[in-house]
Amino acid sequence: MPISAISTDLLVVGGGLGGVAAALTAAKLGCRVVLAERSTWLGGQLSTQAVPPDEHQWIETSLTSPSYRALREAIRGHYRRAYPLTEDAAGIEHLNPGMGFVSRICHEPRVGALAVEEILSAHIASGAITLLREHTAVDVRRDGRRITSVTLRAPNGDRLEVRATLVADATEEGDLIEPAGLPVVIGAEGRDETGELHAPDVADVHDQQAVSWCVALEYRPGEEHTIPRPDRYEHWRDTIDPRWPASQLSWEDVVPDTLQPRVRPLFAQSPQEAIHTRADDLWQYRRILSRQLLDPAFTGGEITLVNWPQIDYWELPLHGVSPQAREKALEGARSLTLSFVHWMQTEAPRHDGGFGYPELRPRGDVMGTADGLAKEVYIRESRRIRALFTVTEGHIGRQMRGADAGSAIFADSVGIGYYRIDLHPSTSGRNYVDIDCFPFQIPLGALIAADADNFVAANKNIGTTHITNGAYRLHPVEWSIGEAVGALAARVVETGLDPARIREDPRQLTRLQQVLSEDLGVSLAWPEQIRTGGAAFDRVPMSPDDAAPAPALRAVFDRTDGIGRSKR
């Protein structure tokens, strides 16, 4: 097949949130960028994997990166411009299109992809970013400690060799690490290596978080949308894992932090009541389109996103296995989700005493697919680089550090983030590892590969452990990682220094941090009350009838009515 070559300042392989943030930031700072994505959509877990943002409670404040807030406002802006919102909904400053209570901005994956396109559009038009859709890395060339080129394959088989000053692996699974000849970390490190309280005794490459193939469902009263029975339906219906209280085809699961059994129905009340009354049920958990916000003349129904424990696939791992075993795992994840949909439509206990919800309609159009499933499986845990620095549970874990100690302070911080250490059941047989941690920093050393001079990680493939990956893998953290990579690329191009040299030189590190904090408005450290507070802020008001906000949030919520509607 024909092969051509181009040169650029920054090559970003992977168009998820980290990759988009890296490309956007580098372009803003004057770099030439090639952004290659294997899908037709950009956005990664926001769009192709169909997961509404999992975020911390300060996300609507100035502690959050301005560019990430701009992405969220682009999502809201689409709904304001294109949807028939009610007058009340149009007045909500912090609009949550789905009113799902897992996030302050539950939205359709399709709209997430549109918003990403919007924020990149001017940079693509100017030529600062060369966007290559449906391009996959097929070869990585290396000379000593330098990556000399990455070859990308187009859908028609043509190949493009890209030579870049800096190469960023922003793929969802760390796809470039092994082809680049770099050490790769897979699965769980052992306590004998990391000293982590919640690590297994010894390393286990097959200890990988469950993946989930998400699906979107609309409720269409009185209609019939039952899908054919999947081939492995009986397997999923009749198998009970020792960790689990019942079959995954049920309303039963466990509370992640206590592992106590619980039952959460699809609807805690009638679907009609669910439109107007908040309830702790699965339908409202990740609802991505709420009828309450839309004009009564709108002909569509409500849509929810199924990313629930019932579709966590943990039978086989994806990484460190043969291509055949990997494909079997992906097929298993799809089979589980389709089986759960069929079970809900045919056998699930109903809120009104019957069985089955045939009126549940898979919505492939909001996912960019024909079957209602996401374009790609939701990846919680990637292959990881062997980095200059690795974040361990000892740096952020509340139990390991002490109740009021706060997270470790990193002199090379390039961003901040917060999420509980949240590991889903794993392919080794472990159950949830769901534990408190403190709001944390993102150290530059965790982004830089130890064994290459011009290779960095820009996604959930950074220098974390299996344990700390559970806190660093979420949407805003991934964005901040990419933003730091984009700023780093600009400094590499300007100075001619490699990333490790910039980190080692106090003056260069300070200049990079100034670019991030002063030029881009990125927070590099949490206020002390928040850094040491952690779990004291876990509960965040999402509606007026919730508990009063924690004191550190009082000023924010004094300006709103509790769900983001400005007080006027």
Side-chain angles (χ1 to χ4, degrees):
M1 291 293 179
I3 186 167
S4 54
I6 59 173
S7 296
T8 190
D9 296 324
L10 173 65
L11 168 64
V12 181
V13 181
L17 291 177
V20 167
L24 176 65
T25 305
K28 285 180 179 178
L29 296 173
C31 290
R32 296 170 297 123
V33 183
V34 172
L35 173 60
E37 164 57 34
R38 68 185 182 187
S39 176
T40 56
W41 282 3
L42 298 173
Q45 59 180 330
L46 188 80
S47 57
T48 60
Q49 297 176 30
V51 180
D54 289 298
E55 300 169 331
H56 56 71
Q57 51 267 51
W58 300 277
I59 205 69
E60 307 284 9
T61 76
S62 59
L63 290 170
T64 300
S65 160
S67 63
Y68 186 73
R69 296 204 310 270
L71 171 63
R72 298 170 87 253
E73 288 310 307
I75 293 170
R76 287 172 170 149
H78 180 85
Y79 284 94
R80 291 191 173 103
R81 293 190 303 270
Y83 283 63
L85 299 177
T86 65
E87 184 177 351
D88 284 347
I92 299 176
E93 180 182 357
H94 298 148
L95 179 67
N96 185 348
M99 294 186 69
F101 55 84
V102 75
S103 170
R104 291 184 181 275
I105 188 165
C106 286
H107 60 85
E108 299 156 82
R110 174 185 61 84
V111 176
L114 290 170
V116 170
E117 294 281 345
E118 181 177 328
I119 65 171
L120 290 181
S121 188
H123 299 286
I124 295 171
S126 73
I129 297 176
T130 299
L131 175 59
L132 304 174
R133 302 178 195 275
E134 298 182 89
H135 276 66
T136 306
V138 293
D139 186 40
V140 181
R141 296 294 176 91
R142 179 177 169 182
D143 183 8
R145 289 181 55 89
R146 298 197 70 79
I147 307 301
T148 56
S149 69
V150 177
T151 300
L152 307 169
R153 184 175 60 212
N156 65 359
D158 288 353
R159 299 192 175 208
L160 176 65
E161 184 181 15
V162 183
R163 305 183 186 104
T165 304
L166 186 67
V167 175
D169 183 348
T171 62
E172 299 300 315
E173 300 178 62
D175 293 342
L176 299 188
I177 302 173
E178 290 176 286
L182 299 176
V184 63
V185 182
I186 298 174
E189 299 88 345
R191 189 179 302 121
D192 54 347
E193 176 188 353
T194 67
E196 293 175 304
L197 186 62
H198 290 86
D201 291 337
V202 296
D204 183 356
V205 297
H206 293 136
D207 190 347
Q208 300 168 30
Q209 285 198 66
V211 300
S212 300
W213 214 307
C214 301
V215 61
L217 298 174
E218 180 183 6
Y219 185 76
R220 302 287 298 182
E223 297 182 8
E224 166 65 53
H225 296 284
T226 304
I227 65 172
R229 177 175 288 207
D231 289 341
R232 298 187 68 201
Y233 179 76
E234 287 79 10
H235 167 77
W236 300 115
R237 186 191 60 189
D238 301 336
T239 298
I240 300 178
D241 188 282
R243 295 169 279 188
W244 222 241
S247 158
Q248 283 183 266
L249 304 193
S250 74
W251 300 135
E252 297 183 59
D253 63 3
V254 300
V255 179
D257 57 344
T258 66
L259 303 183
Q260 292 300 305
R262 67 179 173 186
V263 176
R264 287 191 298 174
L266 182 62
F267 295 108
Q269 53 208 341
S270 75
Q272 290 72 28
E273 291 175 309
I275 293 176
H276 301 288
T277 307
R278 186 179 177 207
D280 188 12
D281 57 25
L282 289 171
W283 185 262
Q284 294 190 47
Y285 181 51
R286 291 185 183 271
R287 183 172 53 191
I288 56 177
L289 188 64
S290 170
R291 286 292 283 111
Q292 183 178 343
L293 302 178
L294 299 170
D295 188 281
F298 180 73
T299 58
E302 291 208 323
I303 304 175
T304 199
L305 193 284
V306 179
N307 176 21
W308 310 332
Q310 285 86 347
I311 65 165
D312 277 6
Y313 175 81
W314 55 57
E315 283 196 341
L316 297 170
L318 288 186
H319 307 134
V321 298
S322 68
Q324 295 77 17
R326 172 186 168 81
E327 189 58 35
K328 186 176 180 180
L330 292 174
E331 290 174 358
R334 289 183 64 87
S335 170
L336 172 57
T337 298
L338 290 170
S339 294
F340 184 57
V341 171
H342 183 78
W343 175 81
M344 285 193 289
Q345 293 173 324
T346 59
E347 296 188 64
R350 290 176 59 97
H351 66 281
D352 57 11
F355 292 92
Y357 290 94
E359 56 266 60
L360 293 176
R361 174 192 174 198
R363 287 296 302 271
D365 50 340
V366 305
M367 308 287 261
T369 65
D371 57 9
L373 272 63
K375 282 177 171 285
E376 297 181 354
V377 69
Y378 175 34
I379 303 291
R380 295 183 175 89
E381 183 173 339
S382 172
R383 306 176 188 92
R384 304 183 292 282
I385 61 169
R386 183 70 68 184
L388 293 179
F389 181 84
T390 300
V391 181
T392 70
E393 185 183 352
H395 295 116
I396 67 172
R398 174 178 287 269
Q399 189 173 354
M400 283 197 71
R401 294 186 61 79
D404 302 312
S407 58
I409 297 175
F410 300 127
D412 64 342
S413 174
V414 287
I416 59 174
Y418 179 46
Y419 202 77
R420 286 173 64 85
I421 294 175
D422 171 24
L423 276 68
H424 283 233
S426 85
T427 50
S428 72
R430 291 223 292 170
N431 211 329
Y432 281 104
V433 176
D434 187 286
I435 53 177
D436 288 344
C437 71
F438 295 103
F440 49 79
Q441 294 175 305
I442 302 168
L444 177 60
L447 280 53
I448 303 172
D451 297 275
D453 290 335
N454 64 333
F455 186 98
V456 292
N459 204 303
K460 56 178 72 72
N461 53 346
I462 66 170
T464 56
T465 64
H466 171 73
I467 299 295
T468 54
N469 166 76
Y472 277 76
R473 66 181 174 84
L474 285 308
H475 302 66
V477 182
E478 184 181 331
W479 182 273
S480 293
I481 290 167
E483 195 165 31
V485 165
L488 177 63
R491 296 302 301 152
V492 167
V493 170
E494 183 174 335
T495 64
L497 298 174
D498 294 329
R501 291 285 304 278
I502 290 174
R503 177 174 179 261
E504 293 164 2
D505 186 324
R507 291 175 300 176
Q508 292 295 336
L509 176 59
T510 297
R511 180 61 190 127
L512 170 63
Q513 292 172 325
Q514 287 174 336
V515 169
L516 285 162
S517 61
E518 297 175 13
D519 299 349
L520 300 173
V522 174
S523 295
L524 303 184
W526 289 100
E528 276 299 286
Q529 183 184 10
I530 296 177
R531 183 183 71 85
T532 59
F537 303 100
D538 275 351
R539 178 67 172 151
V540 182
M542 297 295 280
S543 68
D545 57 348
D546 268 341
L553 297 180
R554 178 71 62 186
V556 175
F557 283 89
D558 278 351
R559 298 192 299 272
T560 71
D561 67 3
I563 58 172
R565 187 181 291 111
S566 290
K567 292 179 178 176
R568 303 182 191 278

